[in-house]
């Protein structure tokens, strides 16, 4: 099987690492990839939003399966572009990808299917949104409808903050077209968890629970990032609740997509808030989370290529998907300054020493190869991932590996996993 992975983050390094272990896989390409994926396959310099470039590469290189990591190419319709050339792809259609690409779409599907979520209203008109903010209870959350590189959600405790967010998105258009329509919803309080499932259009197979750490600072302080660390399983969502949770937040959506003739194939990811009134969905993603993918794939005890092919073939029910009982944790090392501006090009040392620690695998994200030197090339640089007998053991191994790695201006959180440790 000749596989093309689309994307360049820690998630894509983990995908390449897991797929390269499959006896079915004969050749791996990663577009555009990073310093880590270069060791597992061939990086090709095509960006993830270059649909014609990706499609002609796949055609010219007899690709059997395209695995799409990030949301943007899915929302732009890469699956459809590939389908025109008869190339199969793991990931949903552009229509189904609206579950992530349009917050208003996701909220209306949740309302129609009875999935618990925060009360909301959708606005296309700035004046109507301002009136609503003046009249409604605070706190609230203002969300740009479209993709905004993870920055389109503002949790507002006062009317002034909410008005500013409405003005930024709709009048000043700081997210361009993504903010022409907005969702304003009730702010929920509680602990978050990530719940992902493989889907073949009908069958849903739950992955173990995981938990991301979105804020840049320890104790969940400061601005949100793409994710500063993750672990799996998350004790807040124990194994015995997975099927109940799938019935509550995943299967209704997959059934709905089937009834509108848009079968959901790929990964459906529910971001859940555990509120006093029970779990509620904050958002859907239509792909692996980054960094949740790194601990999840570290625990997957099977052939990822086989699972992905079964999703495409509609035969997921026939595959036996097993997970290692150990806990996995991923600590993200970032360049100081991220998620705002940060320096690039710093040399990274200690990667081999870190990888040599038992249970540890370092996934690269914003890196590039400069001869034999690995250099930083992005905000999130590495995802230091470790398997351990429990969360405390995994955490100890991961931070031992973190301490073996060096690059100038390295920033990371020391408290990844602590919410889980407090519950254990
Ligand atoms: P989203 O892109 O919708 O996942 O939002 C990003 C983050 O914003 C979530 O992980 C939450 O931390 C926060 N968030 C989103 N919606 C709400 C809400 N209704 N109440 C409180 N926090 C929220
Ligand atoms: N870790 C959150 C995300 O991938 O969206």
């Amino acid at each position: 099987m000749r596989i093309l992975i689309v994307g360049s983050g820690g998630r894509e390094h983990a995908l390449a690492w897991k797929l390269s272990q499959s006896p079915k896989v004969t050749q791996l390409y990663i577009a555009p990839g990073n310093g880590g994926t270069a060791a597992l396959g061939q990086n090709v310099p095509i960006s993830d939003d270059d649909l014609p470039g990706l499609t002609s590469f796949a055609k010219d290189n007899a690709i059997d399966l395209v695995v799409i990591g990030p949301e943007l190419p899915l929302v732009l319709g890469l699956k459809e572009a590939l389908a025109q050339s008869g190339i199969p792809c793991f990931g949903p259609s552009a229509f189904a990808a609206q579950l992530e690409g349009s917050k208003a779409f996701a909220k209306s599907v949740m309302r129609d299917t009875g999935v618990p979520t925060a009360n909301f209203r959708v606005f296309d008109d700035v004046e109507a949104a301002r009136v609503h903010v003046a009249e409604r209870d605070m706190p609230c959350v203002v969300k740009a409808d479209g993709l905004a590189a993870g920055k389109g959600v503002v949790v507002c405790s006062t009317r002034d903050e909410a008005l500013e967010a409405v003005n930024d998105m709709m009048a000043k258009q700081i997210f361009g077209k993504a903010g022409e329509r907005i969702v304003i919803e009730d702010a929920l309080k509680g602990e978050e968890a990530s719940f992902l499932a493989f889907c073949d259009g009908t069958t849903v197979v739950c992955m173990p629970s995981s938990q991301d750490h979105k804020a840049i600072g320890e104790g969940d302080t400061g601005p949100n990032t793409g994710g500063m660390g993750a672990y799996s399983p998350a004790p807040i969502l124990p194994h015995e609740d997975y099927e109940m949770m799938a019935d509550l937040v995943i299967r209704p959506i997959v059934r709905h997509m089937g009834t509108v003739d848009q079968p959901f194939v790929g990964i459906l990811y529910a971001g859940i808030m555990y509120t006093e009134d029970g779990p509620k969905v904050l958002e859907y993603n239509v792909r692996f989370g980054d960094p949740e993918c790194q601990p999840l794939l570290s625990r997957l005890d099977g052939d990822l290529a086989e699972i992905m092919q079964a999703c495409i073939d509609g035969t997921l029910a026939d595959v036996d998907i097993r997970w290692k009982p150990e806990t996995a944790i991923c600590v993200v090392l970032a360049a100081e300054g991220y998620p705002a501006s940060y320096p690039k090009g710093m040399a990274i040392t200690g990667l081999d020493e870190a990888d040599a620690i038992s249970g540890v695998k370092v996934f690269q994200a914003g890196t590039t190869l400069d001869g034999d030197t690995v250099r930083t090339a992005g905000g999130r640089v590495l995802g230091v991932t470790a398997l351990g007998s429990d969360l405390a053991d995994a955490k100890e191994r991961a931070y031992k590996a973190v301490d073996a790695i060096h690059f100038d201006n390295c920033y990371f959180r020391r408290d990844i996993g602590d919410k889980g440790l407090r519950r254990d």
Side-chain angles (χ1 to χ4, degrees):
M1 213 171 177
R2 298 165 61 78
I3 296 188
L4 169 64
I5 299 172
V6 177
S8 62
R11 166 182 50 210
E12 286 73 27
H13 188 189
L15 286 166
W17 171 77
K18 194 67 197 172
L19 287 168
S20 70
Q21 295 165 16
S22 165
K24 295 189 191 342
V25 176
T26 52
Q27 177 71 42
L28 266 184
Y29 296 98
I30 309 94
N34 61 35
T37 59
L40 297 167
Q42 191 180 324
N43 285 351
V44 287
I46 308 173
S47 70
D48 68 2
D49 60 352
D50 179 359
L51 271 48
L54 292 165
T55 309
S56 24
F57 180 87
K59 239 179 355 194
D60 295 347
N61 290 277
I63 296 297
D64 301 301
L65 171 64
V66 177
V67 175
I68 305 179
E71 61 278 13
L72 181 60
L74 290 165
V75 170
L76 293 176
L78 181 53
K79 188 188 186 88
E80 289 75 5
L82 291 163
Q84 281 182 0
S85 302
I87 301 163
C89 147
F90 179 77
S93 66
F95 182 87
Q98 289 181 92
L99 286 165
E100 177 162 5
S102 164
K103 306 246 186 233
F105 178 89
K107 295 293 290 193
S108 79
V109 173
M110 283 189 255
R111 183 173 50 200
D112 293 350
T113 55
V115 171
T117 189
N119 289 325
F120 70 101
R121 296 230 352 230
V122 177
F123 296 93
D124 293 293
D125 172 61
V126 65
E127 205 39 58
R130 286 179 184 139
V131 170
H132 176 68
V133 166
E135 290 172 349
R136 63 155 295 136
D137 291 343
M138 289 294 132
C140 74
V141 183
V142 179
K143 300 184 170 187
D145 180 55
L147 294 182
K151 294 183 181 150
V153 174
V154 188
V155 181
C156 309
S157 39
T158 66
R159 254 176 250 291
D160 283 350
E161 282 169 21
L163 260 185
E164 189 181 335
V166 166
N167 287 333
D168 281 349
M169 291 179 197
M170 299 190 90
K172 294 191 195 153
Q173 304 205 328
I174 61 168
F175 303 123
K177 277 191 150 325
E180 278 179 356
R181 168 176 289 177
I182 64 168
V183 172
I184 302 181
E185 66 182 31
D186 294 348
L188 303 175
K189 262 208 170 76
E191 191 175 327
E192 289 180 45
S194 304
F195 186 56
L196 289 76
F198 290 111
C199 309
D200 72 355
T202 331
T203 299
V204 165
V205 176
C206 311
M207 297 188 214
S209 60
S210 54
Q211 188 174 56
D212 190 8
H213 297 64
K214 291 210 165 87
I216 186 76
E218 287 172 15
D220 294 332
T221 52
N224 268 353
T225 68
M228 293 301 294
Y231 63 94
S232 169
I236 188 166
L237 175 42
H239 183 260
E240 57 270 23
D241 290 351
Y242 293 174
E243 287 304 320
M244 176 274 292
M245 191 56 82
D247 285 342
L248 192 66
V249 305
I250 304 286
R251 290 195 177 97
I253 304 293
V254 171
R255 262 198 307 273
H256 173 83
M257 287 298 160
T259 58
V260 296
D261 242 2
Q262 294 283 342
F264 191 97
V265 173
I267 290 167
L268 186 59
Y269 161 149
I272 295 164
M273 178 87 90
Y274 276 81
T275 72
E276 276 181 354
D277 304 329
K280 296 193 178 181
V281 172
L282 293 172
E283 61 159 352
Y284 285 108
N285 295 324
V286 295
R287 50 167 175 88
F288 263 119
D290 186 345
E292 291 96 324
C293 180
Q294 292 83 318
L296 286 170
L297 289 187
S298 300
R299 295 188 59 209
L300 178 61
D301 196 7
D303 184 336
L304 182 61
E306 183 189 0
I307 296 170
M308 289 178 161
Q309 189 63 53
C311 287
I312 292 167
D313 296 342
T315 55
L316 190 55
D318 303 336
V319 185
D320 179 25
I321 301 180
R322 274 167 286 118
W323 302 88
K324 296 180 181 159
E326 287 99 328
T327 293
I329 190 168
C330 170
V331 178
V332 170
L333 305 195
E336 177 106 55
Y338 173 79
S341 62
Y342 49 82
K344 290 183 187 173
M346 289 89 76
I348 306 171
T349 57
L351 290 170
D352 291 343
E353 290 84 340
D355 264 325
I357 296 169
S358 160
V360 169
K361 173 71 199 159
V362 180
F363 293 113
Q364 298 186 27
T367 67
T368 181
L369 270 185
D370 170 17
D372 288 338
T373 307
V374 181
R375 292 189 184 276
T376 78
R380 291 192 292 172
V381 176
L382 302 171
V384 179
T385 308
L387 269 180
S389 55
D390 58 18
L391 184 52
D393 182 43
K395 183 179 174 189
E396 196 180 315
R397 287 170 199 263
Y399 279 102
K400 201 167 147 200
V402 166
D403 290 334
I405 295 171
H406 176 81
F407 57 90
D408 287 345
N409 305 101
C410 173
Y411 171 82
F412 59 91
R413 282 177 60 165
R414 278 263 170 214
D415 64 344
I416 303 304
D418 286 2
K419 279 201 283 263
L421 287 173
R422 283 196 290 273
R423 267 179 199 276
D424 258 350

